[in-house]
Every structure is written in structure tokens, then in C-alpha cells.
Amino acid sequence: MTETLTQNNEKEKNALIIKLLNEGVYKIKNRQLYQLSFNELKTLYKKILQP
């Protein structure tokens, strides 16, 4: 079950990275998106969606 949760988290993280790339975000503070945690990616995506 732990492997399944890890795989799901990785899928969600990759989906967020793709969404951010589609918005034109490639790096944040000299860090590539793949270097960010899932929570950092989620926070960043929420900030981008705010008008």
C-alpha cells in the first residue's frame, strides 16, 4: 500500500509540474520544478491561479 501512495504522490506531483510548465513557470528561486516538494508546487500553483 505504501508503494501505491508513493506512486500516486509522484503522479500528482508530475501533473502539477506539467500544469506549471503550461503556465510558463520553469524555475522558482533558482530551483527547477522537479526539485520542489509536492506542497511547494501546490502552493505555487494556487498563487498562479489567483487573479
Side-chain angles (χ1 to χ4, degrees):
M1 182 164 180
T2 304
E3 287 183 32
T4 304
L5 289 175
T6 303
Q7 289 174 346
N8 286 340
N9 287 343
E10 283 299 312
K11 286 181 183 178
E12 290 180 41
K13 182 177 177 178
N14 288 334
L16 272 176
I17 289 172
I18 290 169
K19 289 177 182 179
L20 288 165
L21 290 171
N22 288 336
E23 294 293 327
V25 178
Y26 301 97
K27 290 174 90 174
I28 190 77
K29 298 182 182 177
N30 294 327
R31 292 172 63 196
Q32 299 291 328
L33 295 179
Y34 72 88
Q35 295 174 311
L36 302 174
S37 70
F38 177 72
N39 288 332
E40 289 173 314
L41 290 168
K42 193 163 51 171
T43 302
L44 178 61
Y45 188 69
K46 284 180 182 179
K47 285 182 183 178
I48 289 173
L49 288 179
Q50 291 177 348

